[in-house]
Amino acid sequence: MSELLQAVLESDEKSDLRQFASELRAAGNTYLLRNDILNSFSDYCDRHQKDNEFHASSLSKLIYYTQEIILEDESLCWIIRPEIARQEVYRLWSDLSIEPMTVQQLLDVRDRFVNHYHPQEGDVLELDFGPFYDYSPAIKDSKNIGKGVQFLNRFLSSKLFQAPDQWLSALFTFLSLHRYNGTQLLINERISNQRQLSGQIKKAITFVSKLNGDKPYDEFRFDLQVMGFEPGWGNTASRVKETLDILDDLIDSPDHQALEAFISRIPMIFRIVLVSVHGWFGQEGVLGRPDTGGQVVYVLDQARNLEKQLKEDQELAGLTGLNVEPKVIILSRLIPNSDGTRCNERLEKVHGTENSWILRVPFREFNPNLTQNWISRFEIWPYLETYAIDSEKELLAEFQGKPDLIIGNYSDGNLVAFLLARRLNVTQCIIAHALEKSKYLFSNLYWQDLDDKYHFSLQFTADLIAMNSANFIISSTYQEIVGRPDSVGQYESYANFTMPDLYHVVNGIELFSPKFNVVPPGVNENVYFPHTRNEDRIQSDRDRIEELLFTLDDPANIFGKLDDPNKRPLFSMARLDRIKNLTGLAECFGRSKDLQERCNLILVAGKLRVEETEDNEERDEIVKLYRTIDEYNLHGKIRWLGVRLPKTDSGEIYRVIADRQGVFVQPALFEAFGLTILEAMISGLPTFGTQFGGPLEIIQDRVNGFYINPTNLDETADKLLEFANNCDRDPNYWYKISQQAIERVYSTYTWKIHTTRLLSLARIYGFWNYASKENREDLMRYVETLFYLIYKPRAKTLLEQHVHR
Ligand code: UDP
Ligand code: LCN
């Protein structure tokens, strides 16, 4: 039984538990989420005049770890999350007897709650991915979740090293596999078995040891070739020696770190596809549009940096003479009616690269009124399978061959990545960015009511398909996978859930699987850099942005005139959707007269007029922002810029705010990661980030930024005020936080760290898939069944609705 429950039942807090349960029942709320539970319990403590000691009681502890309580006729269903990634469920009867419940029983309770439980009509389909993970090792300790590759490497190495013959033969064949455009790499047919390999390595080491370390590879290439070695070992004599030494050690005394170091050097990735389907995917005039935010920034930066890293790796590997040209293709949708963007162009070069491209493939024309236009990410499901088929042809033509790695982005891109990787037999990696399931409360329980608008039945099925089929998953934070002690992670929310009348998921994803790896993104350091780096700033841009932010009179694009433009600016920039909560920030500012006296509020957000947007959430937020400004009479204290800025301007904006010792506030109700946080911090802006989501991992509270609870407006205003007061008291305070913010980004969130890690992961997973002959075919067949029997018919029905629209 749950230790937490048992402790209560064995103490004299038993009567409190009974009383609390009975008061919950009397209050009439039959489904309580964690926040409701905490509030109800706090009311209970007030009503019963519980003293401070009670907050350390076993009951308080139980309440803290309780995620949900569902009230049924005679009992309460109690869902406890005693630690990260673990769940226990109990039924608590009024006489305080307790029964453990299975996941199946819990899902039935939830179905009953929404009146969709019909056992007389037979059982609902149960999805269980658990058995497919039996073949792979599982991480034991939840704190190691997200460090998959390290774990896998250690585990599989030890297994492999126990059978040296098998291991050497796997290594030998793996080394003979690699080619680029028909040119053999690493070893040639002069080395015909593993025993020879070991001998030739020693010979080659003796040979290169005698050379000058700087001697270019091309000058001794033919000597090595005679010994059986082709390009790929290094660009200079010392680099070749280093690589050969690692391999020599590996053969003599295998060790997982040496294995990782060696595999990470193997030139096996040249062509990469990044799939990002739905948005306005472009380089100008697309940011701030609905559906197109950080993901576009992330993928473009990633593409640029991957190309750079591939080039660096290839140069180091000594492939320069072979005309090796790495190529990165961002696969997106071609939108014929492109609203002034370049999204109607088939091919667009990624700025600042030599061979990275945006390849846009159109949806087939089922209903031109729809498919010629932008389609919301919630509606695009019916087009993805044919899109993948069409894209495959285009990719093969563009690459003149198969890619080596396919990376999906967001639910739609991840599904396409699955379809492509399956057809082409290529390593598949996925990146969620944000999983909608946990963003929309009760999105699975009430899916039938929401399906007309959101089509979650398709999205969540696509998510299950992608996360299970992927060879590896990268996440931006640890909590994206398994949350925090007090909150469920985004992936964790797929572990079990009900889609009433459609299916029950009893084990949707193995959180302890080594496929999960935390690899956070970076920030474009050419655009976003510390405001103190004056030599890289352009004075005319700075003046123009200053005017734009604080004084320019341009009613078409800017709302509000500041009474005193010299007050400390509180700045925020985001798309105007509900979750970003800029309206909440305006209200927080509105409620604090003190804050208004000390600061101005500057918002860069969406559009200024409802007529200009087709997005419902954006429309509602525009109305709400005007209402808040009027309600708190913020005229003269706020400026709202409804502009879509070129990238370079967005960098200078943060710096200009920093010049005036301003701060950045990110008040989202939930933020999966939060690229604006990185942008603000690297610019040197003290940053106040939401405590709900990624910012909690990026910022270290009071060291290099501050946490805020955006649902507590007065507390947030107080924190901002306290900061302003501290700055007044100590003129160095602002600079101290600013400097620490800059250091935090440079030390932990750079694209260099990201791409080195990502490429190393791709190689290592590639190697292990090969060496361990991992048999995933059973899993893949199950996933396919889900695609054909659940996803596809539902997508077809939606398509029919679209065609007749
Ligand atoms: N952005 C922008 N103009 C806007 C709104 C956003 O340039 O009007 C950029 C911002 O600089 C950041 C990205 O869009 O690079 C937003 O990414 P984030 O991860 O913060 O949030 P998302 O929009 O992906 O939820
Ligand atoms: C989506 C989000 O919601 C943001 O929090 C992330 O920063 C962005 O994608 C990039 O991953």
Side-chain angles (χ1 to χ4, degrees):
M1 202 223 292
S2 151
E3 279 172 29
L4 289 161
L5 259 172
Q6 193 152 9
V8 177
L9 294 176
E10 284 169 1
S11 72
D12 46 10
E13 290 154 31
K14 215 168 147 175
S15 54
D16 275 306
L17 176 62
R18 184 183 287 119
Q19 184 64 24
F20 178 57
S22 130
E23 289 183 21
L24 280 185
R25 190 171 294 287
N29 186 357
T30 47
Y31 203 127
L32 290 99
L33 296 175
R34 187 164 185 275
N35 225 6
D36 308 320
I37 300 168
L38 291 176
N39 289 337
S40 305
F41 188 64
S42 152
D43 293 347
Y44 175 85
C45 292
D46 290 347
R47 260 194 316 276
H48 295 271
Q49 292 163 4
K50 297 289 179 191
D51 55 20
N52 275 347
E53 254 173 52
F54 194 68
H55 294 295
S57 66
S58 303
L59 182 55
S60 294
K61 209 165 156 200
L62 170 68
I63 296 291
Y64 180 81
Y65 289 105
T66 303
Q67 281 297 325
E68 290 177 28
I69 298 177
I70 309 168
L71 283 77
E72 289 214 291
D73 293 342
E74 300 293 325
S75 63
L76 272 76
C77 171
W78 208 285
I79 300 153
I80 305 170
R81 189 170 171 268
E83 57 185 284
I84 280 178
R86 303 239 187 250
Q87 176 185 282
E88 295 171 2
V89 192
Y90 296 93
R91 190 182 288 286
L92 181 73
W93 298 92
S94 41
D95 63 357
L96 294 192
S97 60
I98 278 180
E99 272 166 31
M101 286 172 70
T102 61
V103 170
Q104 281 87 345
Q105 287 167 329
L106 168 65
L107 301 184
D108 286 346
V109 169
R110 289 189 172 133
D111 283 357
R112 274 202 289 279
F113 179 78
V114 289
N115 291 326
H116 283 285
Y117 179 62
H118 322 290
Q120 65 287 1
E121 289 166 26
D123 287 336
V124 68
L125 169 67
E126 224 170 64
L127 301 179
D128 184 357
F129 287 91
F132 299 107
Y133 287 88
D134 287 347
Y135 67 82
S136 72
I139 289 171
K140 302 273 174 317
D141 188 339
S142 61
K143 73 173 186 301
N144 291 326
I145 290 176
K147 299 177 187 161
V149 82
Q150 279 141 275
F151 174 82
L152 187 73
N153 231 359
R154 206 168 310 144
F155 176 86
L156 290 179
S157 316
S158 67
K159 242 177 99 178
L160 209 57
F161 300 154
Q162 280 162 16
D165 276 353
Q166 193 189 335
W167 137 243
L168 286 176
S169 130
L171 184 67
F172 167 74
T173 4
F174 185 70
L175 290 178
S176 357
L177 281 180
H178 301 286
R179 281 186 185 77
Y180 178 78
N181 279 353
T183 307
Q184 181 65 37
L185 304 176
L186 296 171
I187 55 177
N188 59 36
E189 69 295 337
R190 287 194 174 91
I191 300 179
S192 57
N193 59 47
Q194 67 237 46
R195 230 160 305 133
Q196 256 188 3
L197 173 67
S198 166
Q200 291 305 94
I201 289 171
K202 294 200 191 299
K203 241 194 222 168
I205 291 176
T206 315
F207 169 74
V208 284
S209 305
K210 292 185 189 134
L211 304 178
N212 181 339
D214 294 337
K215 197 175 172 77
Y217 169 72
D218 274 346
E219 295 179 17
F220 57 93
R221 175 180 173 175
F222 295 110
D223 301 285
L224 279 186
Q225 198 168 42
V226 178
M227 291 181 226
F229 296 97
E230 294 291 334
W233 297 93
N235 56 341
T236 59
S238 66
R239 178 86 184 173
V240 171
K241 180 175 176 305
E242 229 175 74
T243 314
L244 288 168
D245 277 340
I246 302 177
L247 183 57
D248 189 39
D249 287 348
L250 202 54
I251 292 174
D252 284 347
S253 49
D255 153 68
H256 67 93
Q257 277 159 335
L259 180 66
E260 178 167 349
F262 179 68
I263 302 290
S264 300
R265 286 179 177 220
I266 295 192
M268 54 196 266
I269 294 174
F270 304 96
R271 306 177 180 107
I272 303 179
V273 186
L274 312 177
V275 192
S276 177
V277 188
H278 64 259
W280 294 98
F281 201 107
Q283 304 185 73
E284 292 110 24
V286 298
L287 289 176
R289 282 175 192 260
D291 273 10
T292 304
Q295 191 187 143
V296 172
V297 176
Y298 180 119
V299 175
L300 276 171
D301 283 351
Q302 192 188 45
R304 254 183 234 115
N305 286 282
L306 276 173
E307 182 190 287
K308 203 165 145 201
Q309 194 58 46
L310 284 174
K311 278 179 174 300
E312 266 180 50
D313 290 354
Q314 279 157 30
E315 201 194 317
L316 271 180
L319 302 188
T320 325
L322 295 185
N323 277 338
V324 172
E325 260 210 280
K327 186 166 185 159
V328 180
I329 292 185
I330 299 169
L331 178 67
S332 191
R333 158 172 197 218
L334 186 146
I335 308 174
N337 295 337
S338 61
D339 193 23
T341 70
R342 292 179 67 181
C343 295
N344 57 345
E345 291 177 20
R346 178 178 174 276
L347 210 55
E348 183 186 340
K349 184 107 169 251
V350 177
H351 299 331
T353 67
E354 281 172 36
N355 204 11
S356 297
W357 304 86
I358 304 170
L359 171 68
R360 301 193 186 89
V361 176
F363 286 168
R364 289 192 195 163
E365 282 204 1
F366 294 98
N367 171 354
N369 287 334
L370 283 178
T371 42
Q372 295 269 319
N373 295 310
W374 169 78
I375 299 174
S376 145
R377 69 187 189 281
F378 295 119
E379 298 280 340
I380 72 165
W381 308 104
Y383 308 101
L384 297 179
E385 190 184 9
T386 44
Y387 176 81
I389 296 169
D390 298 345
S391 300
E392 182 190 343
K393 286 193 207 91
E394 301 229 22
L395 286 169
L396 289 173
E398 283 301 319
F399 283 127
Q400 311 225 322
K402 282 198 323 184
D404 306 305
L405 173 66
I406 299 178
I407 306 179
N409 290 274
Y410 190 69
S411 309
D412 54 355
N414 290 336
L415 185 77
V416 173
F418 152 70
L419 292 167
L420 284 171
R422 183 80 175 135
R423 293 168 72 95
L424 294 168
N425 192 21
V426 169
T427 307
Q428 175 202 349
C429 163
I430 65 160
I431 307 175
H433 295 284
L435 289 164
E436 304 291 346
K437 186 165 169 297
S438 40
K439 234 162 130 182
Y440 290 80
L441 208 57
F442 289 128
S443 48
N444 59 299
L445 204 52
Y446 291 108
W447 73 269
Q448 291 168 95
D449 303 333
L450 301 169
D451 227 40
D452 269 359
K453 205 165 154 200
Y454 290 109
H455 308 292
F456 286 140
S457 60
L458 282 157
Q459 182 150 8
F460 301 165
T461 309
D463 287 337
L464 287 172
I465 291 173
M467 56 182 80
N468 283 291
S469 61
N471 295 97
F472 70 103
I473 297 177
I474 63 172
S475 75
S476 298
T477 60
Y478 172 82
Q479 62 180 293
E480 182 179 333
I481 314 170
V482 280
R484 312 220 350 123
D486 59 355
S487 61
V488 174
Q490 293 186 65
Y491 279 98
E492 190 181 3
S493 75
Y494 287 73
N496 60 72
F497 63 100
T498 169
M499 295 288 279
D501 297 326
L502 183 62
Y503 52 66
H504 278 179
V505 178
V506 296
N507 189 349
I509 181 73
E510 178 48 79
L511 299 166
F512 289 80
S513 156
K515 64 163 63 174
F516 284 104
N517 289 279
V518 180
V519 186
V523 58
N524 185 335
E525 292 165 38
N526 295 325
V527 176
Y528 305 99
F529 53 81
H531 72 116
T532 44
R533 237 165 66 192
N534 286 322
E535 63 281 14
D536 295 321
R537 296 177 66 180
I538 299 168
Q539 189 60 41
S540 56
D541 283 350
R542 193 168 171 163
D543 297 342
R544 182 173 49 81
I545 299 280
E546 277 240 7
E547 193 190 0
L548 181 77
L549 284 173
F550 300 108
T551 50
L552 182 72
D553 187 22
D554 175 11
N557 295 306
I558 301 172
F559 174 89
K561 187 171 178 314
L562 299 177
D563 293 340
D564 176 4
N566 292 322
K567 285 194 265 184
R568 189 186 297 280
L570 304 179
F571 171 58
S572 195
M573 171 163 77
R575 291 172 292 125
L576 258 187
D577 67 24
R578 196 184 63 80
I579 302 263
K580 292 288 182 198
N581 192 34
L582 289 184
T583 47
L585 175 60
E587 197 178 343
C588 156
F589 183 64
R591 285 161 69 113
S592 171
K593 286 266 173 255
D594 288 346
L595 203 55
Q596 291 165 38
E597 262 170 34
R598 312 280 293 279
C599 307
N600 288 316
L601 181 62
I602 315 282
L603 303 176
V604 171
K607 309 250 172 74
L608 293 184
R609 277 166 276 276
V610 279
E611 313 80 77
E612 290 168 6
T613 177
E614 287 165 31
D615 188 82
N616 292 336
E617 276 191 20
E618 189 168 51
R619 209 170 293 143
D620 294 349
E621 289 295 294
I622 293 175
V623 172
K624 204 166 153 201
L625 194 48
Y626 281 121
R627 213 177 42 224
T628 310
I629 293 171
D630 286 341
E631 189 183 334
Y632 293 99
N633 191 15
L634 295 177
H635 301 279
K637 298 161 186 160
I638 188 170
R639 260 166 88 81
W640 167 12
L641 284 72
V643 289
R644 210 171 277 139
L645 297 161
K647 191 91 202 160
T648 43
D649 282 357
S650 89
E652 192 57 26
I653 280 198
Y654 291 103
R655 291 188 289 271
V656 166
I657 300 279
D659 292 338
R660 297 189 171 213
Q661 302 212 348
V663 302
F664 183 73
V665 192
Q666 214 286 15
L669 299 173
F670 177 76
E671 187 62 63
F673 182 73
L675 291 173
T676 53
I677 302 260
L678 292 189
E679 295 164 359
M681 285 173 76
I682 201 173
S683 310
L685 271 176
T687 296
F688 289 71
T690 177
Q691 67 181 46
F692 303 119
L696 205 60
E697 271 174 56
I698 307 173
I699 295 171
Q700 293 162 309
D701 195 28
R702 296 179 182 271
V703 177
N704 41 39
F706 302 87
Y707 300 148
I708 52 168
N709 175 351
T711 61
N712 192 335
L713 302 178
D714 298 337
E715 184 193 276
T716 300
D718 287 348
K719 285 198 176 169
L720 289 162
L721 258 180
E722 187 193 333
F723 177 79
N725 289 336
N726 285 342
C727 291
D728 289 349
R729 259 196 302 276
D730 171 5
N732 276 328
Y733 188 64
W734 188 94
Y735 289 100
K736 193 177 104 194
I737 301 288
S738 166
Q739 192 51 38
Q740 277 159 193
I742 295 170
E743 280 163 20
R744 174 73 173 159
V745 182
Y746 281 122
S747 67
T748 318
Y749 297 98
T750 69
W751 282 111
K752 173 84 184 159
I753 302 175
H754 175 100
T755 45
T756 313
R757 190 83 199 119
L758 174 56
L759 287 174
S760 156
L761 290 178
R763 293 183 184 111
I764 294 169
Y765 281 96
F767 171 73
W768 281 121
N769 281 344
Y770 173 80
S772 62
K773 303 259 180 298
E774 185 189 43
N775 186 3
R776 305 193 324 141
E777 197 52 24
D778 48 1
L779 166 65
M780 296 308 279
R781 288 294 186 195
Y782 191 68
V783 165
E784 262 177 0
T785 308
L786 202 57
F787 177 77
Y788 288 106
L789 297 185
I790 307 253
Y791 182 92
K792 202 168 161 164
R794 301 196 73 80
K796 196 163 163 233
T797 309
L798 181 56
L799 183 65
E800 278 155 17
Q801 288 168 16
H802 281 188
V803 170
H804 296 116
R805 215 176 248 181

